[in-house]
Amino acid sequence: GADLHGAILAGADLHGAILAGADLKGTDLSGADLHGADLEGASANEDTIWPDGLDPEAAGVIFE
């Protein structure tokens, strides 16, 4: 449930991070390592930037 709204996490090592329920609206995750991260129920919007190859909807992200 972390509030990461608008955070710049480009290139961050988030391998295995528990981001379930986190607010990722407007967050820059480009180049971040989200391998094994729990994104179930995290919220995002059209301003959220995802790393290449990640399907946020398949990972359980909710778009608002």
Side-chain angles (χ1 to χ4, degrees), residues 44-63:
N45 61 14
E46 67 278 352
D47 296 325
T48 305
I49 303 170
W50 300 100
D52 291 339
L54 178 76
D55 181 352
E57 290 179 347
V61 175
I62 300 167
F63 283 84

Side-chain angles (χ1 to χ4, degrees), residues 4-63:
L4 299 172
H5 183 105
I8 299 172
L9 299 173
D13 181 2
L14 299 171
H15 181 97
I18 300 172
L19 298 173
D23 179 356
L24 301 176
K25 292 186 285 297
T27 302
D28 181 355
L29 294 161
S30 58
D33 178 2
L34 291 170
H35 183 312
D38 180 0
L39 297 168
E40 189 69 37
S43 60
N45 61 14
E46 67 278 352
D47 296 325
T48 305
I49 303 170
W50 300 100
D52 291 339
L54 178 76
D55 181 352
E57 290 179 347
V61 175
I62 300 167
F63 283 84

